[in-house]
């Protein structure tokens, strides 16, 4: 079929749908300076968060990998890391763990002897990149370079019934185009773990999905010994079965953890957080260059690293917040899937989503352990 | 009796600042909250990324922190940004309205359009900024002041200069009837017996030892050993070798008066005098808890030089050595490095801190305030659901 979009081809062969300059704080303590730099550089976006110090083991690793993944994301033309200096998440260590050919630099406030010097040097560096980025232009690229994150947020049965066939057909279009789809394994989808397990040949994904489908399991460090397991209600199971219809018979290549990049194209499931900002940020960190949020309403914040399209059902609800990019109606499944795909290509080629028009995009990192 | 001039609130509390803030209840509202704060000049955004559902220990902690922040004596008015039928927003409003505090909530994802809600926010915030002019400083007793004690980016000098100076301040301040709240349970590990021996009675002693024990246990539950990850790389570059060594220096901020009470994260003490709050060693989360618990000012010693502040309380930075004061002077208020140079004693710096606390209570701006350092983060206890 040979669908194409107009994107930014990076040296490493990945494609960006946007051309951001990333100003990335390694720790919350450098977020003010990070924001200050981003404010003064055209095309720059701040990647600030509440993590980076007083973290241990896996929890620290998620923060570090998340930031490395964001920098590696093809939507970024270049990236500047700003640290404080005494944090656990050292800029030097972070630089070493990033695998990229794009312009990249990093330094810290203590090393530069204060925020003023750090901001000045940061602005100078990022302004150079900003000028370079302006000169690079979009080229015609195959749709197989698209990595699309799809996740549900605040969804109900009525909406799912309307949107499931169309989204399922859209996933089909993406997969046959050779694109990668990263589908969020949300809390609402988890009770369908046993169904999802049937869709995969991957033994470890099959085992994990079956386990996840048995009961809700989340880490709790206050009282419980390890994982707390709570059984799903009938209502949760029935909602999950409907959510499963979004994927239906499509083969699942793998079950990804936070920060884990899909190893090949096709459909993958990925762990999500209870916070939509954290989930979308994780999409960005595993290389997605676009995302779709499926909901019964307009979701109020996206990611600042990648365009987020909001798709709802045309269910008679008056979407007062004007943030919905596409409303799915009943029937005309293949036509609507095609129309949604066309819009996705347009967004990939530079058309702004509603959330982008409103400049609503944030970044946040999930915790899988408590801070100390 | 020492006095200062502060803002008397309708609930009887007294503030040293007069902020108008806008606060979100869940992460999904973070972007809108940032935009709302920009609608009216001078409004302070207080933003966090909590998920919509959490385990009870986190839900209670988030709620307690948000109520304590919105109802803080340093806050003149608080606009709460919530979702339709948002129980957190409703609870904050109910709690603060019962105390006649100036608070208002807007609810997104309701029948109103974003533009209409923005207009409502703009009007309420403008009115709040206007009415703020009529809040005037009045005489208050120093005994109404609560000061949080924090350290961040510690080095080998922290326990020799800045922290004992804060301790000297704390002893004088408590003597005068003030309340000083030591925080950072992590940095009591290995030195807990010293604080415990200062407890006013058996119950407080056991309560304190229990939070330290629970803390270390909670870390173990994650499969990690706290003593292997703390001191941090920066601490070690600064000459600290073990957590015990860091802790022994850290607790010096508490001085030598009796430990009167132990409170949980973001909880307001009921006793006056020396109090301990259960917080993580992560500075921003710890300062956030101290502020939500009612501290109007926070003292923060730093060896490596940290710029962080708080959206609602002035944070006073005390540098531990002459070098950090020299190279990071824009972020530091007091130079305890003078003790190393032999030009000041611990007692002198303690007094200097005390004078500065009084000046800051009366309106003097700290380095963190001058640089708009308004970091905010709530300590998370479990994985979000």
């Amino acid at each position: 079929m040979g669908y194409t979009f107009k994107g930014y081809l990076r040296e490493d062969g990945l494609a960006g749908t946007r051309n951001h300059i990333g100003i990335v704080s390694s720790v919350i303590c450098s977020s003010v300076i990070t924001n200050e730099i981003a404010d003064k550089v055209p095309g720059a976006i701040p990647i600030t968060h509440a993590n980076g110090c007083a973290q241990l083991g896996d929890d620290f690793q998620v923060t570090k990998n998340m930031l490395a993944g964001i920098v590696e994301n093809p939507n970024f033309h270049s990236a500047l890391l700003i640290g404080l200096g005494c944090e656990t998440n050292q800029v030097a260590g972070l630089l070493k763990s990033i695998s990229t050919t794009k312009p990249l630099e990093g330094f810290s406030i203590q090393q530069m002897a204060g925020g003023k010097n750090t901001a000045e040097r940061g602005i100078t560096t990022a302004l150079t990149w900003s000028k370079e980025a302006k000169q690079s232009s979009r080229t015609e690229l195959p749709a197989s370079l698209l990595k699309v994150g799809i996740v549900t947020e605040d969804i109900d049965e009525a909406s799912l019934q309307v949107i499931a066939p169309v989204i399922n057909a859209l996933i089909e279009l993406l997969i046959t185009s050779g694109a990668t789809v990263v589908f969020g394994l949300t809390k609402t989808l988890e009770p369908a773990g046993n169904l999802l397990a049937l869709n995969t040949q991957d033994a470890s994904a099959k085992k994990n999905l079956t386990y996840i489908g048995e009961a809700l399991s989340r880490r709790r460090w206050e009282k419980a010994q390890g994982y707390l397991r709570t059984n799903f209600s009938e209502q949760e199971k029935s909602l999950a079965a409907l959510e499963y219809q979004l994927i239906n018979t499509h083969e699942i290549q793998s079950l990804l953890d936070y920060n884990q990049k899909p190893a090949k194209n096709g459909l993958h499931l990925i762990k999500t957080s209870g916070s939509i900002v954290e989930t979308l940020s994780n999409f960005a960190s595993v290389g997605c260059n676009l995302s779709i949020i499926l909901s019964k309403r307009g979701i109020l914040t996206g990611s600042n690293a990648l365009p987020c399209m909001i798709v709802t059902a045309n269910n008679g609800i008056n979407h007062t917040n004007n943030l919905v990019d596409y409303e799915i109606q009943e029937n005309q499944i293949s036509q609507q899937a095609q129309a949604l795909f066309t819009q996705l290509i347009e967004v990939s080629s530079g058309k702004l989503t509603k959330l982008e028009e409103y400049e609503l995009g944030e970044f946040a990192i999930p915790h899988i352990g408590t801070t100390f | 009796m020492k006095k200062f001039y502060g803002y008397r609130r309708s609930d009887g509390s007294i503030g040293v600042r007069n902020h108008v803030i806008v606060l979100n209840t869940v992460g999904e509202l973070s972007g809108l909250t940032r935009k709302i704060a920009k609608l009216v000049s001078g409004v302070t955004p207080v933003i966090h990324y909590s998920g919509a559902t959490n385990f009870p220990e986190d839900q209670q902690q988030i709620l307690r922190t948000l109520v304590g922040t919105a109802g803080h004596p340093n806050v003149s008015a608080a606009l709460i940004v919530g979702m339709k039928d948002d129980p957190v927003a409703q609870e904050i409003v109910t709690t603060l309205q019962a105390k006649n505090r100036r608070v208002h909530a807007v609810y997104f994802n309701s029948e109103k359009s974003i533009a209409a809600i923005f207009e409502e926010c703009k009007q309420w915030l403008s009115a709040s900024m206007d009415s703020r002019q009529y809040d005037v400083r009045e005489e208050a007793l120093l005994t109404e002041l609560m000061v949080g004690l924090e350290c961040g980016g510690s080095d080998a000098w922290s326990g020799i200069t800045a922290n004992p100076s804060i301790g000297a301040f704390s002893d004088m301040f408590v003597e005068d009837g003030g309340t000083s709240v030591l925080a950072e349970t992590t940095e009591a590990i290995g030195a807990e017996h010293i604080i415990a021996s200062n407890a006013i009675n058996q119950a407080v002693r056991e309560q304190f030892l229990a939070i330290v024990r629970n803390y270390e246990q909670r870390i173990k539950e994650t499969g990690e050993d706290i003593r292997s990850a703390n001191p941090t790389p920066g601490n070690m570059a600064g000459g600290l070798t073990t957590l015990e060594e860091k802790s022994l220096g850290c607790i010096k901020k508490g001085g030598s008066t009796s430990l009167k009470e132990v409170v949980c994260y973001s909880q307001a003490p009921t006793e006056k005098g020396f109090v301990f709050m259960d917080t993580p060693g992560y500075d921003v989360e710890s300062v956030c808890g101290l502020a939500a618990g009612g501290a109007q000012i926070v003292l923060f010693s730093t060896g490596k030089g940290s710029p962080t502040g708080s959206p609602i309380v002035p944070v006073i930075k005390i540098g531990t050595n002459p070098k950090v004061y020299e190279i990071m002077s824009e972020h530091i208020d007091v130079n305890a490095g003078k003790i190393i140079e032999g030009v000041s004693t611990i007692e002198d710096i303690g007094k200097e801190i005390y004078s500065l606390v009084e000046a800051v209570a009366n309106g003097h701006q700290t380095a963190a305030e001058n640089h708009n350092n308004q970091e905010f983060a709530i300590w998370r206890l479990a994985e979000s659901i």
Side-chain angles (χ1 to χ4, degrees):
Chain A
M1 302 220 284
Y3 289 106
T4 59
F5 72 104
K6 287 198 165 100
Y8 298 94
L9 186 65
R10 307 298 179 196
E11 270 183 40
D12 52 12
L14 301 173
T17 64
R18 297 294 180 266
N19 205 27
H20 301 304
I21 315 293
I23 315 294
V24 182
S25 68
S26 67
V27 62
I28 190 170
C29 310
S30 56
S31 54
V32 170
I33 297 297
T34 302
N35 279 313
E36 191 182 325
I37 296 169
D39 272 351
K40 300 213 166 103
V41 177
I45 57 163
I47 298 292
T48 58
H49 52 90
N51 300 28
C53 201
Q55 290 183 273
L56 279 161
D58 293 346
D59 185 51
F60 168 57
Q61 210 54 49
V62 166
T63 292
K64 191 174 172 182
N65 294 347
M66 190 93 164
L67 295 173
I70 277 287
V71 170
E72 290 164 8
N73 186 295
N75 283 0
F76 290 90
H77 161 273
S78 45
L80 178 65
L81 307 181
I82 302 294
L84 172 59
C86 52
E87 67 272 24
T88 311
N89 190 26
Q90 293 277 299
V91 166
L94 198 50
L95 282 169
K96 268 185 218 151
S97 67
I98 296 169
S99 149
T100 186
T101 49
K102 69 183 67 173
L104 174 67
E105 236 183 85
F107 40 85
S108 67
I109 296 171
Q110 286 163 1
Q111 181 194 351
M112 298 301 296
K116 193 167 167 279
N117 297 338
T118 313
E120 277 171 12
R121 177 162 161 197
I123 291 166
T124 308
T125 307
L127 274 176
T128 315
W129 295 340
S130 175
K131 280 178 200 138
E132 283 171 23
K134 238 181 200 168
Q135 282 160 7
S136 56
S137 54
R138 290 178 182 269
T139 53
E140 201 83 25
L141 300 170
S144 58
L145 288 174
L146 289 175
K147 287 196 178 74
V148 184
I150 303 181
V151 67
T152 64
E153 169 75 6
D154 202 1
I155 192 96
D156 59 5
E157 297 200 0
S159 305
L160 278 171
Q161 266 154 0
V162 176
I163 69 170
V166 176
I167 296 302
N168 188 45
L170 174 74
I171 291 173
E172 175 77 34
L173 276 170
L174 285 164
I175 293 173
T176 50
S177 303
T180 308
V181 176
V182 178
F183 198 95
L185 180 58
T186 54
K187 186 185 68 163
T188 51
L189 181 57
E190 283 181 16
N194 57 332
L195 296 172
L196 293 164
L198 300 172
N199 289 33
T200 184
Q201 310 288 318
D202 182 290
S204 105
K206 201 178 265 297
K207 189 173 155 227
N208 286 332
L209 285 167
T210 308
Y211 177 80
I212 286 166
E214 284 164 0
L216 178 75
S217 55
R218 289 290 187 281
R219 291 300 297 273
R220 198 175 180 184
W221 310 283
E222 192 70 13
K223 306 175 179 80
Q225 305 294 313
Y227 282 79
L228 181 105
R229 304 273 285 166
T230 315
N231 288 334
F232 296 118
S233 67
E234 285 309 313
Q235 200 190 350
E236 285 170 325
K237 284 182 195 165
S238 107
L239 183 67
L242 265 178
E243 191 167 336
Y244 170 77
Q245 296 299 317
L246 296 164
I247 293 173
N248 204 358
T249 54
H250 291 303
E251 188 180 347
I252 295 163
Q253 304 298 333
S254 70
L255 173 60
L256 306 167
D257 207 340
Y258 287 136
N259 317 131
Q260 209 182 337
K261 292 190 169 102
K264 53 181 166 189
N265 51 13
L267 174 68
H268 302 259
L269 285 179
I270 193 163
K271 181 173 179 170
T272 63
S273 151
S275 165
I276 185 70
V277 182
E278 293 173 357
T279 293
L280 295 171
S281 301
N282 190 47
F283 278 163
S285 97
V286 301
C288 292
N289 42 21
L290 181 80
S291 71
I292 297 176
I293 308 171
L294 307 170
S295 183
K296 65 178 183 197
R297 61 177 174 87
I299 296 297
L300 299 156
T301 287
S303 156
N304 54 5
L306 76 176
C308 302
M309 290 170 63
I310 296 173
V311 176
T312 61
N314 184 344
N315 50 10
I317 294 176
N318 185 16
H319 298 293
T320 49
N321 64 26
N322 303 323
L323 291 172
V324 177
D325 292 282
Y326 194 95
E327 276 192 353
I328 296 176
Q329 338 248 345
E330 273 182 281
N331 304 322
Q332 298 207 309
I333 290 158
S334 60
Q335 293 93 324
Q336 289 192 84
Q338 192 63 49
L340 189 50
F341 185 76
T342 304
Q343 190 169 337
L344 185 146
I345 294 284
E346 284 168 7
V347 167
S348 304
S349 305
K351 184 187 171 190
L352 296 182
T353 64
K354 287 284 162 45
L355 281 168
E356 285 180 308
E357 282 174 16
Y358 277 83
E359 293 178 321
L360 288 170
E362 298 280 319
F363 179 80
I365 302 176
H367 271 297
I368 58 162
T370 184
T371 46
F372 64 85
Chain B
M1 188 71 88
K2 286 197 173 178
K3 297 192 167 75
F4 73 101
Y5 290 84
Y7 300 97
R8 181 70 62 192
R9 305 299 175 196
S10 53
D11 54 4
S13 65
I14 187 102
V16 302
R17 292 294 180 269
N18 209 25
H19 295 299
V20 173
I21 66 167
V22 48
L23 178 81
N24 63 319
T25 59
V26 290
E28 193 190 324
L29 294 162
S30 51
L32 287 166
T33 302
R34 206 179 293 283
K35 289 176 96 81
I36 290 167
K38 286 182 184 154
L39 293 172
V40 176
S41 168
V43 172
T44 306
V46 181
I47 290 165
H48 63 103
Y49 294 95
S50 307
T53 52
N54 293 287
F55 281 118
E57 59 267 29
D58 270 314
Q59 203 56 42
Q60 285 156 16
Q61 187 146 295
I62 292 165
L63 183 61
R64 199 166 60 238
T65 306
L66 296 182
V67 170
T69 303
H72 193 276
N74 288 359
V75 174
S76 172
L79 177 66
I80 315 302
V81 180
M83 290 287 196
K84 187 184 178 185
D85 304 322
D86 191 326
V88 174
Q90 285 163 359
E91 176 130 5
I92 297 171
V93 169
T94 310
T95 309
L96 299 187
Q97 276 177 348
K99 297 176 178 180
N100 283 317
R101 296 295 303 273
R102 193 172 169 85
V103 63
H104 179 69
V106 290
Y107 298 96
F108 280 94
N109 180 31
S110 57
E111 294 70 31
K112 291 179 187 164
S113 68
I114 290 184
I117 298 174
F118 270 38
E119 190 50 42
E120 182 184 344
C121 291
K122 193 174 174 184
Q123 281 181 17
W124 194 83
L125 289 171
S126 298
S128 297
M129 289 301 284
D130 289 344
S131 84
R132 191 171 83 141
Q133 296 166 24
Y134 304 103
D135 299 338
V136 287
R137 287 186 181 265
E138 62 173 61
E139 197 173 85
L141 295 175
L142 192 103
T143 54
E144 295 182 85
L145 211 54
M146 192 194 299
V147 176
L149 312 177
E150 175 73 23
C151 52
S154 297
D155 69 356
W157 293 112
S158 299
I160 296 165
T161 60
N163 291 351
S165 301
I166 292 174
F169 154 79
S170 180
D171 286 350
M172 290 184 274
F173 182 57
V174 167
E175 172 100 346
D176 288 341
T179 302
S180 60
V181 188
L182 183 64
E184 302 182 281
T185 311
T186 331
E187 286 152 37
I189 294 172
E192 64 266 38
H193 57 289
I194 300 171
I195 297 180
S197 69
N198 265 345
I200 189 121
N201 57 41
Q202 185 70 15
V204 170
R205 176 161 39 246
E206 277 172 13
Q207 217 185 336
F208 174 73
L209 290 172
I211 62 162
V212 177
R213 253 196 325 271
N214 286 348
Y215 206 99
E216 208 165 1
Q217 191 55 38
R218 191 186 302 129
I219 303 290
K220 276 186 190 148
E221 293 290 342
T222 69
E224 301 295 332
D225 178 8
I226 177 77
R227 291 167 204 246
S228 70
N230 202 341
T232 65
N235 295 150
M236 287 190 266
L240 287 170
T241 57
T242 62
L243 178 58
E244 288 81 355
E245 191 181 37
K246 186 174 170 179
S247 296
L248 286 166
C250 179
I251 63 157
K252 292 224 169 103
K253 300 194 298 294
S256 57
T257 62
S258 302
L259 176 65
K260 302 282 279 293
E261 189 181 7
V262 175
V263 291
C264 67
Y265 185 81
S266 299
Q267 188 190 354
T270 55
E271 297 284 332
K272 291 203 179 293
F274 176 50
V275 176
F276 191 93
M277 181 184 282
D278 184 17
T279 75
Y282 196 20
D283 303 328
V284 176
E285 292 178 349
S286 183
V287 169
C288 173
L290 284 166
Q296 296 106 319
I297 294 173
V298 170
L299 298 178
F300 187 126
S301 70
T302 180
K304 304 298 291 176
S306 168
T308 59
S310 152
I312 58 166
V313 301
V315 176
I316 299 173
K317 292 283 160 49
I318 298 137
T320 70
N321 64 76
K323 195 176 159 203
V324 73
Y325 187 71
E326 189 194 322
I327 64 171
M328 296 283 277
S329 56
E330 68 192 80
H331 304 295
I332 294 174
D333 300 282
V334 177
N335 177 16
K338 287 187 284 187
I339 297 166
I340 304 171
E341 294 173 319
V343 294
S344 295
T345 63
I346 287 172
E347 196 70 17
D348 294 336
I349 301 295
K351 284 180 184 159
E352 190 181 327
I353 293 169
Y354 204 158
S355 303
L356 187 57
V357 166
E358 289 181 271
V360 168
N362 288 322
H364 177 84
Q365 297 274 302
T366 65
E369 287 180 297
N370 287 332
H371 286 87
N372 281 321
N373 277 101
Q374 299 171 341
E375 295 82 355
F376 183 84
I378 304 170
W379 182 24
R380 204 187 286 182
L381 295 172
E383 197 172 348
S384 67
I385 308 173

